[in-house]
C-alpha cells in the first residue's frame, strides 16, 4: 500500500500520479480520515496529560488532609473520555487501512501516460513473425488433431476454460516447465521454490489480490483459503512480517505452480484454445531487493524471461505498459508478447513488474541495513512465461506443412522426441 507519511507530505503529487491511471482516483478520502484521526489523537494526548497531571496532585492533597473525592471522580471521567477516543481511533485506523488497500500503486513517472493498452510503447522485438507458404493452423485445431489437447473432455470434467492435456501434449507441457526451472536455477541463480497452491486472505492481501479482486479468485467454502492466481502470491509472502539481513538481498526465487483465475468480466475474450484459462501452469520469477537495486533488477528479470523465449526460438516483443494498463500493484511493467499466427498478432505471455515497496508495506517485508536502520524491501515479479501459452506458440510457429510440430532443440532432451 502507499506510505501514509508520503500521502500527508505530497498529496498533490500522489493524486497527479494516480490520475494518470484513472481520472477518478485520489487519496482525498484517506486524507480526510487521517486528518480526523490526528485531531482525535491530539485530543486523547491532551486528556492523558491532564489526567496524569491531576493524578500527581492526589498524594500531596492527602498529605495535607484535603478531600480527594472530587478530583478522583474527575480523573475517572478523564479515563473514560480517553477510552472513548481510543475506540474512535481504532475505528479510524481500520477505516484508513481499508481505504488504502483499495488504492493502487502510483505509476512510475517515466512510463507512457494513457488510458489503456493503446498507449503502450513497444521497446524491442526479437525474431521475425512466422510466415509459411501453407496455411498455419491455430493450436486449438492442430493440437486436438494430434491428440495433444482435449478441450471437450476438459469441460466435461470441470467447466469451460479447463483443458485436458494428453500424451505428447502433457509431456511437452511438463518439458517446458522443467526447461524453465532448470534455466532459471542453473544459469540465472534463482532458488527453486515449491509453494502451497492455496493461500489465506492475509497472504492474498499482501500482494494486492485482496480485497479489490476477490471476485476473480476461487475461494474455498468455509475456509480462509483461496486457490492462488499466480506463484507470485505465496513466494513473495514467504518473508511476510519478517526483517531480512541486508546481505540476503537481492533474493532471487522461481516457482512452478498451477494457477487459478475466475477471469470475472472477461466473457468472450480469447475463449478458444489456451490463451485464457481458469487453470493454467506458470513458472514465476520473484525478486526481493533493496530500493536502490530495484530498477536494475527489474531490467535483469525481464531479460531472464526474454532469454527462455530466445532459447526456444519464439519471436516476441517487449512492451512498456502505459499508466492506464499496468496492474493494480505495479509501478512499472513490461509485457513480453509472443507472435501467434492464429491471431496474426503478438499475444502477452509474460508480465515483468516492479512493485517498489507497495507489496512490501502490505505484507510487512523489511530489511535491516548494516547501520541498523530498517526499511521496506522492493518486490519484483515476472511471470517467467505462461506454460500453456508457450506450448500454443510452439505448436503454431513450428508446425510443418503436413500438420506436425517440430520441437525446439532445447526441449528435446526433456520430451524424448523431435517431432509430434
Amino acid at each position: 500500500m502507499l506510505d501514509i507519511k508520503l500521502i500527508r507530505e505530497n498529496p498533490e503529487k500522489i493524486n497527479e500520479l494516480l490520475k494518470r491511471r484513472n481520472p477518478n482516483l485520489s487519496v482525498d478520502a484517506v486524507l480526510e480520515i487521517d486528518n480526523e484521526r490526528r485531531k482525535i489523537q491530539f485530543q486523547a494526548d491532551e486528556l492523558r496529560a491532564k489526567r496524569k497531571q491531576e493524578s500527581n496532585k492526589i498524594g500531596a492533597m492527602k498529605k495535607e488532609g484535603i478531600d480527594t473525592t472530587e478530583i478522583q471522580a474527575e480523573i475517572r471521567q478523564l479515563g473514560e473520555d480517553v477510552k472513548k477516543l481510543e475506540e474512535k481511533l481504532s475505528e479510524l485506523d481500520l477505516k484508513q487501512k481499508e481505504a488504502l488497500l483499495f488504492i493502487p500503486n502510483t505509476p512510475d513517472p517515466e512510463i507512457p501516460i494513457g488510458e489503456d493498452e493503446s498507449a503502450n510503447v513497444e521497446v524491442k522485438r526479437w525474431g521475425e513473425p512466422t510466415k509459411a507458404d501453407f496455411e498455419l493452423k491455430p493450436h486449438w485445431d492442430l493440437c486436438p488433431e494430434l491428440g495433444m489437447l482435449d478441450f471437450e473432455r476438459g469441460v466435461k470434467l470441470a467447466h469451460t476454460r479447463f483443458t485436458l492435456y494428453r500424451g505428447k501434449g502433457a509431456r511437452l507441457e511438463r518439458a517446458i516447465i522443467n526447461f524453465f526451472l532448470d534455466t532459471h536455477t542453473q544459469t540465472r541463480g534463482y532458488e527453486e521454490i515449491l509453494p502451497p497452491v492455496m493461500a489465506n486472505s492475509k497472504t492474498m492481501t499482501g500482494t494486492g489480490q485482496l480485497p479489490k479482486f476477490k471476485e476473480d479468485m476461487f475461494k474455498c467454502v468455509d475456509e480462509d483459503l483461496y486457490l492462488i492466481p499466480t506463484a507470485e502470491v505465496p513466494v513473495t509472502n514467504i518473508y511476510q512480517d519478517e526483517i531480512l539481513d541486508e546481505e540476503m538481498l537481492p533474493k532471487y526465487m522461481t516457482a512452478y505452480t498451477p494457477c487459478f483465475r475466475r477471469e470475472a468480466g472477461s466473457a468472450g475474450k480469447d475463449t478458444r484454445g489456451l490463451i485464457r484459462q481458469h487453470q493454467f501452469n506458470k513458472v514465476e520469477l520473484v525478486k526481493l531487493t533493496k530500493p536502490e537495486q530495484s530498477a536494475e533488477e527489474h531490467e535483469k528479470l525481464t531479460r531472464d524471461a526474454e532469454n527462455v523465449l530466445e532459447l526456444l526460438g519464439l519471436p516476441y516483443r517487449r512492451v512498456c505498459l502505459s499508466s492506464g494498463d499496468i496492474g493494480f500493484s505495479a509501478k512499472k511493467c513490461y509485457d513480453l508478447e509472443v507472435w501467434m499466427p492464429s491471431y496474426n498478432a503478438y499475444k502477452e505471455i509474460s508480465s515483468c513488474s516492479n512493485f517498489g515497496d507497495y507489496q512490501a508495506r502490505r505484507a510487512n517485508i523489511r530489511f535491516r541495513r548494516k547501520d541498523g536502520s530498517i526499511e521496506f524491501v522492493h518486490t519484483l515479479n515476472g511471470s517467467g512465461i505462461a506454460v500453456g501459452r508457450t506450448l500454443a506458440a510452439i505448436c503454431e510457429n513450428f508446425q510443418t506443412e503436413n500438420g506436425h510440430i517440430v520441437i525446439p532443440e532445447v526441449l528435446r532432451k526433456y520430451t524424448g522426441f523431435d517431432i509430434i
Side-chain angles (χ1 to χ4, degrees):
M1 65 180 69
L2 298 180
D3 182 359
I4 186 61
K5 182 179 179 182
L6 192 62
I7 292 174
R8 289 180 192 136
E9 295 174 351
N10 303 279
E12 296 84 6
K13 179 63 176 178
I14 299 298
N15 278 339
E16 190 273 326
L17 289 172
L18 287 175
K19 290 183 186 304
R20 294 185 184 186
R21 281 182 173 268
N22 185 323
N24 298 319
L25 288 173
S26 82
V27 292
D28 293 349
V30 172
L31 280 174
E32 288 179 14
I33 298 169
D34 193 56
N35 288 334
E36 183 181 358
R37 182 193 167 282
R38 296 174 82 184
K39 287 177 183 177
I40 292 175
Q41 181 71 61
F42 180 75
Q43 293 171 8
D45 290 342
E46 280 195 322
L47 290 182
R48 288 192 195 95
K50 184 176 180 181
R51 184 185 179 202
K52 183 178 180 180
Q53 184 180 24
E54 295 301 300
S55 297
N56 291 338
K57 295 178 182 178
I58 292 177
M61 290 173 68
K62 286 183 175 180
K63 285 181 180 180
E64 296 177 10
I66 301 173
D67 185 6
T68 61
T69 303
E70 185 176 337
I71 192 172
Q72 286 180 328
E74 181 183 355
I75 290 169
R76 282 194 296 272
Q77 183 58 53
L78 286 169
E80 291 175 7
D81 292 343
V82 168
K83 184 178 180 182
K84 290 178 182 178
L85 289 174
E86 287 175 341
E87 290 173 353
K88 181 63 175 175
L89 276 174
S90 295
E91 292 175 7
L92 290 172
D93 283 341
L94 180 60
K95 188 176 179 181
Q96 184 181 74
K97 183 177 180 181
E98 290 176 345
L100 284 169
L101 287 174
F102 279 91
I103 296 176
N105 201 354
T106 52
D108 189 303
E110 301 301 318
I111 69 172
I113 300 174
E115 295 182 1
D116 52 35
E117 62 183 15
S118 64
N120 295 347
V121 174
E122 182 178 308
V123 176
K124 64 176 284 191
R125 288 194 184 194
W126 186 89
E128 294 295 327
T130 300
K131 291 181 172 53
D133 54 8
F134 58 91
E135 184 178 356
L136 293 169
K137 294 183 179 180
H139 71 275
W140 53 81
D141 289 336
L142 180 62
C143 292
E145 290 175 7
L146 294 173
M148 298 171 61
L149 300 176
D150 191 331
F151 294 111
E152 292 181 1
R153 288 189 174 91
V155 173
K156 180 178 73 172
L157 293 173
H159 200 284
T160 55
R161 301 197 188 184
F162 287 86
T163 298
L164 177 68
Y165 289 74
R166 309 192 72 143
K168 290 186 176 180
R171 192 162 182 175
L172 178 57
E173 181 93 349
R174 176 161 55 90
I176 295 168
I177 293 168
N178 287 335
F179 164 65
F180 286 165
L181 288 173
D182 286 351
T183 301
H184 295 319
T185 57
Q186 296 174 12
T187 68
R188 300 302 192 192
Y190 288 82
E191 176 190 4
E192 184 173 348
I193 304 292
L194 187 61
V197 297
M198 290 186 178
N200 57 37
S201 57
K202 180 178 180 180
T203 298
M204 296 286 280
T205 301
T207 40
Q209 279 69 33
L210 292 181
K212 186 169 178 64
F213 301 105
K214 187 174 183 179
E215 66 175 10
D216 284 328
M217 307 303 146
F218 285 103
K219 174 140 188 355
C220 299
V221 178
D222 299 327
E223 294 282 349
D224 180 30
L225 288 172
Y226 295 80
L227 289 168
I228 61 170
T230 163
E232 168 199 341
V233 176
V235 175
T236 302
N237 278 278
I238 288 173
Y239 297 102
Q240 69 175 222
D241 296 324
E242 293 187 31
I243 300 175
L244 307 178
D245 291 331
E246 183 177 2
E247 292 77 11
M248 293 179 64
L249 302 177
K251 179 71 176 171
Y252 292 14
M253 295 172 284
T254 184
Y256 153 70
T257 64
C259 305
F260 305 87
R261 298 181 189 176
R262 291 184 59 224
E263 295 283 4
S266 65
K269 295 180 181 178
D270 299 325
T271 55
R272 296 174 298 178
L274 296 173
I275 298 301
R276 194 180 293 271
Q277 295 276 288
H278 289 312
Q279 177 184 334
F280 55 96
N281 295 313
K282 194 143 66 81
V283 175
E284 204 78 17
L285 303 176
V286 173
K287 290 185 178 183
L288 306 180
T289 78
K290 293 184 286 187
E292 64 269 23
Q293 297 172 322
S294 68
E296 179 185 359
E297 290 294 343
H298 183 214
E299 297 295 327
K300 290 167 65 176
L301 181 144
T302 306
R303 278 298 301 142
D304 290 341
E306 290 175 339
N307 176 59
V308 292
L309 290 177
E310 293 171 11
L311 290 172
L312 290 169
L314 291 171
Y316 72 89
R317 67 176 187 168
R318 185 201 294 197
V319 175
C320 184
L321 300 194
S322 73
S323 57
D325 196 35
I326 56 173
F328 179 82
S329 299
K331 64 185 290 120
K332 183 176 183 179
C333 179
Y334 293 122
D335 268 5
L336 303 184
E337 300 176 347
V338 71
W339 178 256
M340 295 293 291
S342 58
Y343 290 88
N344 194 35
Y346 290 94
K347 300 295 289 184
E348 184 261 316
I349 198 169
S350 174
S351 290
C352 303
S353 299
N354 186 345
F355 303 105
D357 63 5
Y358 185 85
Q359 290 182 331
R361 287 183 181 278
R362 296 171 74 109
N364 193 29
I365 308 170
R366 296 171 292 168
F367 75 100
R368 181 180 287 105
R369 291 192 183 272
K370 292 176 183 178
D371 64 6
S373 61
I374 295 176
E375 300 177 36
F376 286 100
V377 302
H378 279 200
T379 63
L380 312 173
N381 160 251
S383 41
I385 317 299
V387 180
R389 294 188 184 194
T390 304
L391 182 146
I394 288 171
C395 293
E396 292 195 8
N397 284 282
F398 302 142
Q399 61 182 282
T400 66
E401 187 173 6
N402 58 356
H404 294 287
I405 300 163
V406 178
I407 304 302
E409 186 175 352
V410 292
L411 294 180
R412 293 175 187 175
K413 68 177 181 179
Y414 295 99
T415 62
F417 47 82
D418 300 344
I419 195 167
I420 299 178

